[in-house]
């Protein structure tokens, strides 16, 4: 099965996509989310804002699973600043925190939000802020405010301004399929097409600076690894060797790329120096070695291999070439990604015949299954390690879904462009 996954993945992708209409649906939230009220922001006369900034903040915090926003219909007032807040009203509604704010336009091109976060129980302002963006980016403004509020209340850096990559495919009639590489905000908004092809696109990944991406394209009839600059759109072909060219992943410092090549026989892990193009072969085994990921220190890689008979996760030291097995629980573990602190792995784990997303604690060697559907794949970790993005099936169609690192929060993401797969969460972009 593992060999089939590696060698015919492109055919599987091409054959299993269908048109989908995805909507955000929060399937599961925390048992004790913090009650918070996001009051609609006021604005100066004459200011026309294309988006409801407060509503976006409300959805950001709600989707994190950490907060339970109060319905606007239940609010007893619409204060715009702290001096207009009557704490007793919010306390009677069971709210712990209130966010108030106003929008102003400074000149023809600048939109500014002034906001305050209030603690209802202590009756004091605990955060004030002013954020400005160009007038055409109200959603970015909202995500910025969400990041600040989230960090203040959780002590974890917010990741609402990050972005997603993923691949979609849409049937166009007969056996023709249109593949697209897409980028969006983490709530699915501002979805845009980065690359469009009639041939499969696979394995998108981000450079650590968030300005360049890499992926595999079959546009020349064989798999090849490309990079693409997100600002200029300029693409560069890195590899086109005989056989597999797959699973690109940038090193933590962005100077190297790990990848899988089968140009010399069996699929093995290689590392390319991006400045010179020189290659270092990292593994050399008759088994299939694939799906590399970097450890945070950049000195070692983890990868999937069936060298023990079934797919498991291994680690290889780049300096010595020493290999050690990392997973022992379950008869199938694959597509591992490392948590930012290096203390855990997120991976595809088979349990009772079904494929789930799981997290393995590397210190305790304990595996916790996070998802309950049966065809979960391609996990990607948010840069603040609070959430995971993965691909799954819903109503017979490919969708993207997210789950918190503790399994307590789950939701699905929207896409306008058909069945979706292979998500990749960006690094922090600011």
């Amino acid at each position: 099965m593992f060999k089939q996954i590696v060698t015919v993945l492109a055919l599987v992708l091409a054959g299993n996509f269908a048109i989908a209409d995805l909507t955000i649906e929060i399937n599961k939230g925390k048992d004790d989310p913090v009650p918070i009220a996001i009051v609609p922001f006021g604005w100066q006369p004459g200011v026309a804002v294309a988006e409801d900034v407060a509503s976006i903040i409300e959805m950001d915090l709600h989707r994190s699973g950490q907060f339970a926003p109060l319905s606007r219909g239940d609010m007893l007032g619409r204060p715009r600043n702290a001096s207009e807040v009557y704490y007793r009203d919010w306390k009677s509604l069971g709210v712990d925190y209130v966010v108030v704010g106003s929008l102003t336009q400074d000149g023809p091109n600048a939109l500014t939000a002034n906001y305050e976060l209030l603690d209802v129980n202590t009756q004091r302002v605990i955060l004030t802020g002013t954020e400005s963006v160009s007038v055409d980016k109200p959603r970015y403004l909202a995500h910025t405010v969400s990041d600040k509020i989230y960090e203040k209340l959780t002590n974890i850096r917010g990741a609402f301004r990050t972005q997603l990559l993923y691949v979609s495919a849409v049937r166009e009639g007969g056996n023709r399929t249109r593949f697209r590489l897409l980028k969006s905000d983490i709530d699915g908004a501002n979805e845009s097409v980065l690359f469009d092809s009639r041939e499969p696109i696979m394995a998108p990944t981000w450079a650590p600076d968030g300005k360049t991406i890499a992926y595999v394209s079959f546009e020349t009839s064989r798999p090849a690894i490309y990079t693409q600059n997100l600002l200029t759109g300029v693409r560069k072909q890195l590899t086109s060797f005989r056989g597999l060219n797959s699973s690109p992943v940038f090193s933590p410092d962005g100077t190297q790329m790990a990848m899988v090549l089968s140009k010399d026989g069996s699929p093995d892990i290689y590392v390319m120096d991006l400045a010179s193009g020189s290659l270092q072969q990292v593994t050399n085994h008759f088994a299939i070695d694939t799906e590399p990921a970097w450890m945070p220190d950049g000195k070692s890689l983890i990868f999937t291999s069936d060298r023990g008979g079934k797919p498991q996760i291994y680690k290889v030291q780049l300096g010595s070439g020493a290999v050690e097995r990392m997973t022992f629980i379950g008869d199938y573990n694959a597509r591992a990604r490392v948590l930012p602190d290096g203390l855990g792995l997120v991976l595809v784990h088979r349990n009772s015949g079904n494929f789930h997303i799981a997290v393995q604690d590397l210190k305790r060697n304990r595996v916790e299954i996070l998802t309950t559907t049966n065809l979960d794949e391609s996990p990607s970790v948010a840069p603040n390690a609070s959430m995971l993005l993965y691909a799954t099936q819903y109503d017979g169609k490919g969708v993207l879904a997210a789950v918190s690192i503790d399994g307590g929060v789950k939701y699905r993401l929207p896409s306008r462009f058909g069945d979706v797969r292979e998500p990749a969460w960006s690094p922090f972009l600011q």
Side-chain angles (χ1 to χ4, degrees), residues 30-46:
K30 279 186 129 13
D31 294 333
D32 55 347
V34 176
I36 191 171
I38 315 298
V39 181
F41 282 16
W43 59 86
Q44 70 186 58

PDB file of all heavy atoms in Angstrom, residues 30-46:
ATOM      1  N   LYS A  30     -14.183  24.100  22.606  1.00  0.00           N
ATOM      2  CA  LYS A  30     -13.772  23.778  23.962  1.00  0.00           C
ATOM      3  C   LYS A  30     -14.986  23.749  24.885  1.00  0.00           C
ATOM      4  O   LYS A  30     -15.983  24.421  24.660  1.00  0.00           O
ATOM      5  CB  LYS A  30     -12.766  24.815  24.461  1.00  0.00           C
ATOM      6  CG  LYS A  30     -11.348  24.579  23.977  1.00  0.00           C
ATOM      7  CD  LYS A  30     -10.409  25.546  24.617  1.00  0.00           C
ATOM      8  CE  LYS A  30      -9.196  24.989  25.273  1.00  0.00           C
ATOM      9  NZ  LYS A  30      -8.795  23.667  25.063  1.00  0.00           N
ATOM     10  N   ASP A  31     -14.886  22.983  25.961  1.00  0.00           N
ATOM     11  CA  ASP A  31     -15.994  22.875  26.899  1.00  0.00           C
ATOM     12  C   ASP A  31     -16.194  24.152  27.704  1.00  0.00           C
ATOM     13  O   ASP A  31     -17.294  24.430  28.172  1.00  0.00           O
ATOM     14  CB  ASP A  31     -15.752  21.700  27.852  1.00  0.00           C
ATOM     15  CG  ASP A  31     -15.789  20.361  27.139  1.00  0.00           C
ATOM     16  OD1 ASP A  31     -16.471  20.271  26.105  1.00  0.00           O
ATOM     17  OD2 ASP A  31     -15.130  19.420  27.615  1.00  0.00           O
ATOM     18  N   ASP A  32     -15.139  24.933  27.871  1.00  0.00           N
ATOM     19  CA  ASP A  32     -15.236  26.134  28.708  1.00  0.00           C
ATOM     20  C   ASP A  32     -14.624  27.346  28.010  1.00  0.00           C
ATOM     21  O   ASP A  32     -13.695  27.982  28.534  1.00  0.00           O
ATOM     22  CB  ASP A  32     -14.553  25.904  30.051  1.00  0.00           C
ATOM     23  CG  ASP A  32     -13.095  25.459  29.893  1.00  0.00           C
ATOM     24  OD1 ASP A  32     -12.719  25.104  28.758  1.00  0.00           O
ATOM     25  OD2 ASP A  32     -12.354  25.495  30.893  1.00  0.00           O
ATOM     26  N   PRO A  33     -15.108  27.725  26.817  1.00  0.00           N
ATOM     27  CA  PRO A  33     -14.552  28.895  26.139  1.00  0.00           C
ATOM     28  C   PRO A  33     -14.834  30.166  26.922  1.00  0.00           C
ATOM     29  O   PRO A  33     -15.830  30.267  27.651  1.00  0.00           O
ATOM     30  CB  PRO A  33     -15.278  28.890  24.793  1.00  0.00           C
ATOM     31  CG  PRO A  33     -16.569  28.183  25.050  1.00  0.00           C
ATOM     32  CD  PRO A  33     -16.247  27.137  26.069  1.00  0.00           C
ATOM     33  N   VAL A  34     -13.964  31.136  26.771  1.00  0.00           N
ATOM     34  CA  VAL A  34     -14.084  32.400  27.501  1.00  0.00           C
ATOM     35  C   VAL A  34     -15.176  33.253  26.867  1.00  0.00           C
ATOM     36  O   VAL A  34     -15.125  33.555  25.667  1.00  0.00           O
ATOM     37  CB  VAL A  34     -12.743  33.153  27.479  1.00  0.00           C
ATOM     38  CG1 VAL A  34     -12.891  34.513  28.141  1.00  0.00           C
ATOM     39  CG2 VAL A  34     -11.660  32.333  28.159  1.00  0.00           C
ATOM     40  N   PRO A  35     -16.175  33.687  27.647  1.00  0.00           N
ATOM     41  CA  PRO A  35     -17.228  34.553  27.084  1.00  0.00           C
ATOM     42  C   PRO A  35     -16.692  35.961  26.817  1.00  0.00           C
ATOM     43  O   PRO A  35     -16.086  36.582  27.694  1.00  0.00           O
ATOM     44  CB  PRO A  35     -18.305  34.562  28.178  1.00  0.00           C
ATOM     45  CG  PRO A  35     -17.607  34.171  29.427  1.00  0.00           C
ATOM     46  CD  PRO A  35     -16.455  33.307  29.047  1.00  0.00           C
ATOM     47  N   ILE A  36     -16.888  36.432  25.605  1.00  0.00           N
ATOM     48  CA  ILE A  36     -16.359  37.722  25.185  1.00  0.00           C
ATOM     49  C   ILE A  36     -17.375  38.405  24.279  1.00  0.00           C
ATOM     50  O   ILE A  36     -18.155  37.730  23.592  1.00  0.00           O
ATOM     51  CB  ILE A  36     -15.002  37.534  24.468  1.00  0.00           C
ATOM     52  CG1 ILE A  36     -14.291  38.860  24.251  1.00  0.00           C
ATOM     53  CG2 ILE A  36     -15.188  36.784  23.147  1.00  0.00           C
ATOM     54  CD1 ILE A  36     -12.849  38.704  23.756  1.00  0.00           C
ATOM     55  N   ALA A  37     -17.384  39.714  24.278  1.00  0.00           N
ATOM     56  CA  ALA A  37     -18.272  40.480  23.406  1.00  0.00           C
ATOM     57  C   ALA A  37     -17.428  41.353  22.496  1.00  0.00           C
ATOM     58  O   ALA A  37     -16.581  42.122  22.984  1.00  0.00           O
ATOM     59  CB  ALA A  37     -19.224  41.330  24.222  1.00  0.00           C
ATOM     60  N   ILE A  38     -17.650  41.239  21.195  1.00  0.00           N
ATOM     61  CA  ILE A  38     -16.985  42.091  20.214  1.00  0.00           C
ATOM     62  C   ILE A  38     -18.037  43.072  19.702  1.00  0.00           C
ATOM     63  O   ILE A  38     -18.871  42.732  18.861  1.00  0.00           O
ATOM     64  CB  ILE A  38     -16.397  41.281  19.039  1.00  0.00           C
ATOM     65  CG1 ILE A  38     -15.663  40.035  19.540  1.00  0.00           C
ATOM     66  CG2 ILE A  38     -15.495  42.168  18.196  1.00  0.00           C
ATOM     67  CD1 ILE A  38     -14.481  40.307  20.429  1.00  0.00           C
ATOM     68  N   VAL A  39     -18.018  44.281  20.229  1.00  0.00           N
ATOM     69  CA  VAL A  39     -19.038  45.268  19.889  1.00  0.00           C
ATOM     70  C   VAL A  39     -18.762  45.807  18.485  1.00  0.00           C
ATOM     71  O   VAL A  39     -17.597  46.073  18.142  1.00  0.00           O
ATOM     72  CB  VAL A  39     -19.029  46.420  20.911  1.00  0.00           C
ATOM     73  CG1 VAL A  39     -20.110  47.444  20.565  1.00  0.00           C
ATOM     74  CG2 VAL A  39     -19.234  45.881  22.323  1.00  0.00           C
ATOM     75  N   PRO A  40     -19.793  45.954  17.636  1.00  0.00           N
ATOM     76  CA  PRO A  40     -19.571  46.536  16.305  1.00  0.00           C
ATOM     77  C   PRO A  40     -18.820  47.856  16.407  1.00  0.00           C
ATOM     78  O   PRO A  40     -19.157  48.705  17.232  1.00  0.00           O
ATOM     79  CB  PRO A  40     -20.991  46.731  15.768  1.00  0.00           C
ATOM     80  CG  PRO A  40     -21.800  45.678  16.467  1.00  0.00           C
ATOM     81  CD  PRO A  40     -21.205  45.566  17.841  1.00  0.00           C
ATOM     82  N   PHE A  41     -17.797  48.008  15.579  1.00  0.00           N
ATOM     83  CA  PHE A  41     -16.978  49.211  15.627  1.00  0.00           C
ATOM     84  C   PHE A  41     -17.748  50.406  15.057  1.00  0.00           C
ATOM     85  O   PHE A  41     -18.462  50.284  14.049  1.00  0.00           O
ATOM     86  CB  PHE A  41     -15.694  49.024  14.827  1.00  0.00           C
ATOM     87  CG  PHE A  41     -14.641  48.210  15.539  1.00  0.00           C
ATOM     88  CD1 PHE A  41     -14.956  47.430  16.651  1.00  0.00           C
ATOM     89  CD2 PHE A  41     -13.330  48.231  15.115  1.00  0.00           C
ATOM     90  CE1 PHE A  41     -13.987  46.686  17.311  1.00  0.00           C
ATOM     91  CE2 PHE A  41     -12.339  47.495  15.752  1.00  0.00           C
ATOM     92  CZ  PHE A  41     -12.677  46.716  16.862  1.00  0.00           C
ATOM     93  N   GLY A  42     -17.580  51.548  15.709  1.00  0.00           N
ATOM     94  CA  GLY A  42     -18.127  52.775  15.150  1.00  0.00           C
ATOM     95  C   GLY A  42     -17.220  53.307  14.055  1.00  0.00           C
ATOM     96  O   GLY A  42     -16.084  52.854  13.884  1.00  0.00           O
ATOM     97  N   TRP A  43     -17.708  54.256  13.282  1.00  0.00           N
ATOM     98  CA  TRP A  43     -16.879  54.852  12.237  1.00  0.00           C
ATOM     99  C   TRP A  43     -17.291  56.305  12.027  1.00  0.00           C
ATOM    100  O   TRP A  43     -18.423  56.705  12.313  1.00  0.00           O
ATOM    101  CB  TRP A  43     -16.957  54.085  10.930  1.00  0.00           C
ATOM    102  CG  TRP A  43     -18.343  53.982  10.342  1.00  0.00           C
ATOM    103  CD1 TRP A  43     -18.958  54.879   9.526  1.00  0.00           C
ATOM    104  CD2 TRP A  43     -19.271  52.914  10.548  1.00  0.00           C
ATOM    105  NE1 TRP A  43     -20.215  54.450   9.200  1.00  0.00           N
ATOM    106  CE2 TRP A  43     -20.440  53.236   9.814  1.00  0.00           C
ATOM    107  CE3 TRP A  43     -19.239  51.719  11.275  1.00  0.00           C
ATOM    108  CZ2 TRP A  43     -21.558  52.414   9.790  1.00  0.00           C
ATOM    109  CZ3 TRP A  43     -20.349  50.905  11.248  1.00  0.00           C
ATOM    110  CH2 TRP A  43     -21.492  51.238  10.511  1.00  0.00           C
ATOM    111  N   GLN A  44     -16.348  57.070  11.544  1.00  0.00           N
ATOM    112  CA  GLN A  44     -16.610  58.481  11.323  1.00  0.00           C
ATOM    113  C   GLN A  44     -17.516  58.643  10.118  1.00  0.00           C
ATOM    114  O   GLN A  44     -17.512  57.822   9.199  1.00  0.00           O
ATOM    115  CB  GLN A  44     -15.301  59.239  11.101  1.00  0.00           C
ATOM    116  CG  GLN A  44     -14.608  58.929   9.782  1.00  0.00           C
ATOM    117  CD  GLN A  44     -13.249  59.580   9.647  1.00  0.00           C
ATOM    118  OE1 GLN A  44     -12.387  59.358  10.464  1.00  0.00           O
ATOM    119  NE2 GLN A  44     -13.079  60.394   8.600  1.00  0.00           N
ATOM    120  N   PRO A  45     -18.336  59.696  10.088  1.00  0.00           N
ATOM    121  CA  PRO A  45     -19.219  59.927   8.934  1.00  0.00           C
ATOM    122  C   PRO A  45     -18.430  59.998   7.638  1.00  0.00           C
ATOM    123  O   PRO A  45     -17.342  60.573   7.571  1.00  0.00           O
ATOM    124  CB  PRO A  45     -19.858  61.281   9.271  1.00  0.00           C
ATOM    125  CG  PRO A  45     -19.778  61.386  10.760  1.00  0.00           C
ATOM    126  CD  PRO A  45     -18.505  60.704  11.142  1.00  0.00           C
ATOM    127  N   GLY A  46     -18.964  59.353   6.622  1.00  0.00           N
ATOM    128  CA  GLY A  46     -18.322  59.372   5.315  1.00  0.00           C
ATOM    129  C   GLY A  46     -17.382  58.225   5.062  1.00  0.00           C
ATOM    130  O   GLY A  46     -16.922  58.038   3.936  1.00  0.00           O
TER     131      GLY A  46
END
